[in-house]
Amino acid sequence: MINAWIPASAPAALRSVYTPSPFQNLPFHWWECGQGPDTVVFLHGIMAHAMAFRLAISPAAENFRVIVADLPGHGFDRTFRSPRIPPTIDALSDWLQALLDAIDAPRIHLVGHSLGATLSFLHARQSPEPRLQSLSLVSPGLKLRTSPRTAPLIKALPTSVASLGMNRLGIRLLEPMQWRRARMSLPELDAYLTPLKDPARLKFMLKLASDIVAAGDRSAGGHTIALPTLLLWGDRDHLLPLDTAHRLHRDIPDARLHIFEGCGHSPMEDAPLEFNRALADFLTR
């Protein structure tokens, strides 16, 4: 059922890949297609999986090898079962370096959305992978509108209670928080829900969400990023203030900012044609 998100336009060579990780023999999982000297690695947001980039895969694969990874606890990932990966941003930052180490590629471009963008930002700010060529941050969750004081409430939420909302109606009610224009088809909705119905995965995601909210503002330090950076932001994002986009644009030395009008937290789904053009222009410049 989780494969139902794959669009008809996806390359025939799109394949599910498990590759060894250093975490108790629990493998990484990603989707892969395309060819090229450069590899584009897509990283999705929290409580999502690779399907978040389903409309961006084919356009990117025209010029690049494409890898769409499942973050710990999401999609088909198995690494989250390792005790070395607690549900924290710090642990996921270590996980990202291990993932990049597992990718055999001379040049890598990171494209992250929300949580994936946060991890990409922190990686580039602290100790970037030497093969990293560019950074594309789609609605990075560096400074949320949510108060850090809500973190204990999220952490205390029983998985059994949260699971009550993991159905079509529950996700339909949440969709306006993510998208202002787009809505998932029923097969896509069911594919989105499949990982969320696993109690172990849902518990991991909730604890991770609590850690994200508790941290407050992580947007400082952009001035240390020495990579070409593309910032992609919806002007109607309910979760992230637009002033953070302008701050990052000022802070990161080699940054360009693209704001999508009438779009919410996921511009790659609200405005896929505009998103894919902006990303392609940046990656091929």
Side-chain angles (χ1 to χ4, degrees):
M1 178 62 72
I2 198 172
N3 297 354
W5 62 267
I6 299 175
S9 61
L14 180 65
R15 59 194 182 277
S16 170
V17 175
Y18 279 107
T19 198
S21 83
F23 305 112
Q24 280 74 38
N25 295 318
L26 296 164
F28 295 114
H29 178 263
W30 66 62
W31 296 87
E32 181 174 344
C33 63
Q35 294 181 345
D38 287 23
T39 297
V40 176
V41 177
F42 288 98
L43 301 171
H44 60 77
I46 193 167
M47 301 191 79
H49 55 85
M51 70 170 286
F53 289 105
R54 63 194 179 280
L55 303 178
I57 293 173
S58 293
E62 293 178 4
N63 297 297
F64 300 95
R65 176 192 179 197
V66 171
I67 288 176
V68 193
D70 282 329
L71 295 179
H74 298 70
F76 284 133
D77 168 73
R78 295 178 185 171
T79 62
F80 83 104
R81 300 186 187 279
S82 168
R84 291 176 54 193
I85 307 180
T88 66
I89 290 292
D90 288 344
L92 265 64
S93 294
D94 293 339
W95 176 93
L96 175 56
Q97 181 60 65
L99 174 77
L100 295 176
D101 290 342
I103 295 173
D104 182 15
R107 294 187 296 273
I108 295 174
H109 304 264
L110 277 182
V111 181
H113 172 243
S114 196
L115 170 59
T118 297
L119 296 174
S120 300
F121 175 86
L122 296 176
H123 178 79
R125 190 186 69 179
Q126 295 167 354
S127 55
E129 159 67 45
R131 296 170 295 161
L132 197 56
Q133 304 296 301
S134 75
L135 201 63
S136 296
L137 305 177
V138 188
S139 313
L142 297 166
K143 183 180 179 182
L144 307 180
R145 296 183 189 276
T146 308
S147 169
R149 286 177 291 183
T150 64
L153 299 177
I154 299 172
K155 189 173 184 178
L157 181 66
T159 304
S160 58
V161 174
S163 66
L164 297 177
M166 299 301 114
N167 52 53
R168 287 180 174 181
L169 176 60
I171 301 303
R172 284 293 189 217
L173 293 174
L174 289 174
E175 275 185 306
M177 293 292 291
Q178 292 279 346
W179 309 287
R180 300 297 275 171
R181 301 177 185 172
R183 293 293 181 270
M184 289 183 280
S185 67
L186 289 181
E188 289 171 340
L189 189 62
D190 291 337
Y192 181 89
L193 279 165
T194 299
L196 300 175
K197 291 182 178 180
D198 179 341
R201 294 181 185 276
L202 183 57
K203 181 179 180 180
F204 186 95
M205 294 180 203
L206 289 172
K207 291 185 179 299
L208 179 58
S210 174
D211 186 69
I212 293 170
V213 172
D217 188 353
R218 283 191 176 95
S219 62
H223 66 282
T224 66
I225 294 178
L227 290 167
T229 301
L230 176 63
L231 301 165
L232 299 157
W233 221 284
D235 69 346
R236 300 183 67 187
D237 191 327
H238 286 316
L239 301 175
L240 307 173
L242 191 57
D243 61 359
T244 304
H246 293 292
R247 175 186 171 186
L248 292 172
H249 189 211
R250 292 191 303 267
D251 288 352
I252 300 173
D254 185 7
R256 63 171 71 175
L257 172 62
H258 189 108
I259 297 175
F260 298 84
E261 294 184 3
C263 290
H265 187 57
S266 301
M268 67 279 194
E269 298 181 76
D270 264 348
L273 294 179
E274 185 182 353
F275 175 90
N276 291 329
R277 281 196 300 268
L279 184 61
D281 288 347
F282 175 69
L283 293 177
T284 58
R285 70 176 183 173

